[in-house]
Amino acid sequence: MESIIKINNAADISVIVLYFLVVLAVGLWAMYSTNRGTVGGFFLAGRSMVWWPIGASLFASNIGSGHFVGIAGTAAAGGIAIGGYEWNALIFVVILGWIFVPIYIKAGVVTMPEYLRKRFGGKRIQVYLSVLSLIIYVFTKISADIFSGAVFIQLAIGLNLYLAIIILLSITALYTITGGLAAVIYTDTLQTFIMVVGSFILMGFAFAEVGGYEAFMQKYMAAIPSNVSYGGAPVDPACYTPRGDAFHIFRDAGSGDLPWPGLVFGLSILAMWYWCTDQVIVQRCLSGKNMSHVKAGCIVCGYLKLLPMFIIVMPGMISRILYTDVVACVVPEVCQRYCGTAVGCTNIAYPKLVVELMPNGLRGLMLSVMLASLMSSLTSIFNSASTLFTMDIYTKIRTRPSEKELMLAGRAFMLLLIGISIAWVPVVQSAQSGQLFDYIQSVTSYLGPPIAAVFLLGIFCKRVNEQGAFWGLIIGLLAGLGRMISEFAYGTGSCVAPSNCPFIICGIHYLYFALILFGVSAIVILGVSFMTKPIPDVHLYRLCWALRHSKEERIDLDADEEQDRADEKDNESVNEENQQDAGCCRKAYNWFCGLDQQKGPKLSKEEEEALKKKLTDTSEVPLWRNVVNVNGIILLTVAVFCHAYFA
């Protein structure tokens, strides 16, 4: 690594310390004031969130430091097309709020695999999905976020990578493990605010440095590094010249680096998987007070997603203009010297901008924003992963756990996840993120499409049954793993030294591959379903789009299990009445872990029914329904306009 500008002035350090104190204070306040002692409280924030924290939290869970490092880096290398990734979401947050969430709420579920269990019956799909989601979390989200956060810390403070990671994870873990979802949502809101303000300030400095938008477009096209000979021979100009179509989102279908059919259709499948069926995102929506709040939250998130193009993508390109030799290096030895990676240094585009351009004090703020975005992504993932584990996997191992045991299992599992993530860092470091951000996208496009197909068909086609869904998932998974493993084995190579993976395996662009995989999974699901017998309607009321308004009693396919659990609860409450009072230390420990809830009066059957009705209620006040609907239409129009303007 070249010279490291250490953050060593009083202004920066005091800003960082102050920032962390505020975050802890907000987390502790949320922890003190909300109900964390029940499964619904810890994992769903007690269904009491209003629209603005939902919107901010959706945005913050989505934008991690991986975005700042990865998207700005890809933009420095290839122009604005990567911004299309962010804008695609504008359409899908609307689909999430208007189509998917009402179904999930009516089904009365906490996790996505639980929805599939109610919809298809059987346990194998639920377990498959839980395990696959956990694998995807560890290999893409957690590792990439930790890695990119570490790149920042290294560039700015010069701490040892592992030390930085451990400090960071311990602060994060402290308030996720103790506070549950409410703490996560409120701290997210705070961090989103700081992230957006800080990045806007940086964008201002960057454009001022370049000399405005027109100058930015001209200078970017001329940003060519000075050292372009490798091993005595000149490097192919295509490797270091900015792309001719750098300022277009839609690129040639054959030769483009992000071909337009892939960006329109392939990416939509990944976006549907991510925005509409991913635990991290949907869990934020399920915690909404009522349907109008959820929709309004989705709209807020949609408008926030307009920003990354201007606050992440363009500054990444400006970084290439200002530090051409470092950010756009092509010669492996030179790159190794600048940023410790032979493949290329585009990943340090954004951190470099922060460290070089920001004045004292503000630089500290931006660094804390990076740590914030890292922490908010990690807290979201840890909370959702432990929900998946306790609700879907743990309850299979222990058939009759008490509420207390579930809470402890969730917290213990978080500690395990943190251990795994730290152990995975060296792998990420050596995979080196010259390829890592592409890996996130490509790993997602090898594993996500079958899940998207199952959810889409499960909601819109009531003929689909358990056998169809299961075989669709398995065949999709095998195809995706085949491609992913062969790509890992051959390596992705760099422009100077391409990998020798056969075209038939690696030659198909990953967005096209996502399309093909989605098609194959859908065909298998439908084919097998039509060959086996359908699920009777009595099990499907309010679980499919066609039957979403039905008033009849639904007999869940897992009804017998639910009944066992209810009987279990009655026995347990009898046992607990016989326990004596706990000592002081025990009380403090219980409060810290949110276990000591005062036992409310036992609910009668009628009250339980009423509570259940409230939790599965999707009715809206007509006035607010119209307000959010109009806003949703405006948001879609804005999305179309943005795509057209930069096409």
Side-chain angles (χ1 to χ4, degrees), residues 427-447:
V427 182
V428 178
Q429 226 183 331
S430 59
Q432 262 314 343
S433 69
Q435 309 132 341
L436 190 84
F437 197 72
D438 280 338
Y439 267 163
I440 297 181
Q441 293 308 334
S442 52
V443 167
T444 313
S445 52
Y446 304 150
L447 301 179

Side-chain angles (χ1 to χ4, degrees), residues 122-187:
K123 287 185 181 172
R124 49 187 192 172
I125 293 186
Q126 189 188 5
V127 175
Y128 165 93
L129 191 68
S130 308
V131 173
L132 186 66
S133 305
L134 291 175
I135 292 173
I136 293 179
Y137 286 154
V138 173
F139 286 100
T140 61
K141 297 181 179 162
I142 300 182
S143 49
D145 271 347
I146 289 182
F147 177 76
S148 44
V151 168
F152 247 98
I153 298 174
Q154 258 188 322
L155 202 71
I157 312 179
L159 271 181
N160 171 339
L161 199 73
Y162 294 99
L163 185 67
I165 287 171
I166 289 169
I167 294 173
L168 221 120
L169 282 173
S170 43
I171 295 180
T172 311
L174 186 73
Y175 70 73
T176 315
I177 290 181
T178 52
L181 188 66
V184 175
I185 289 187
Y186 285 115
T187 44

Side-chain angles (χ1 to χ4, degrees), residues 331-407:
V331 184
E333 287 85 68
V334 178
C335 292
Q336 188 72 41
R337 196 173 75 235
Y338 282 130
C339 65
T341 317
V343 191
C345 286
T346 51
N347 284 302
I348 64 170
Y350 202 86
K352 185 110 180 118
L353 213 54
V354 174
V355 175
E356 304 273 344
L357 276 187
M358 294 294 250
N360 292 347
L362 277 176
R363 189 184 304 135
L365 181 72
M366 275 312 279
L367 185 77
S368 34
V369 167
M370 288 304 122
L371 300 185
S373 72
L374 172 70
M375 283 168 42
S376 71
S377 299
L378 286 179
T379 46
S380 308
I381 290 165
F382 285 150
N383 187 285
S384 300
S386 73
T387 310
L388 275 179
F389 173 77
T390 43
M391 298 307 213
D392 293 332
I393 298 172
Y394 190 74
T395 48
K396 301 283 173 292
I397 304 168
R398 290 264 309 169
T399 40
R400 308 201 147 181
S402 65
E403 191 120 326
K404 189 168 187 171
E405 191 183 326
L406 280 182
M407 308 283 287

Side-chain angles (χ1 to χ4, degrees), residues 172-244:
T172 311
L174 186 73
Y175 70 73
T176 315
I177 290 181
T178 52
L181 188 66
V184 175
I185 289 187
Y186 285 115
T187 44
D188 273 356
T189 312
L190 174 80
Q191 290 169 352
T192 309
F193 179 69
I194 296 183
M195 253 153 79
V196 171
V197 172
S199 339
F200 261 114
I201 297 171
L202 180 60
M203 179 182 77
F205 277 111
F207 272 111
E209 189 77 19
V210 176
Y213 190 72
E214 293 300 317
F216 155 64
M217 291 175 73
Q218 283 157 1
K219 289 181 179 169
Y220 178 78
M221 289 321 224
I224 294 173
S226 49
N227 185 347
V228 292
S229 61
Y230 172 50
V235 175
D236 173 15
C239 288
Y240 56 80
T241 320
R243 297 182 59 92

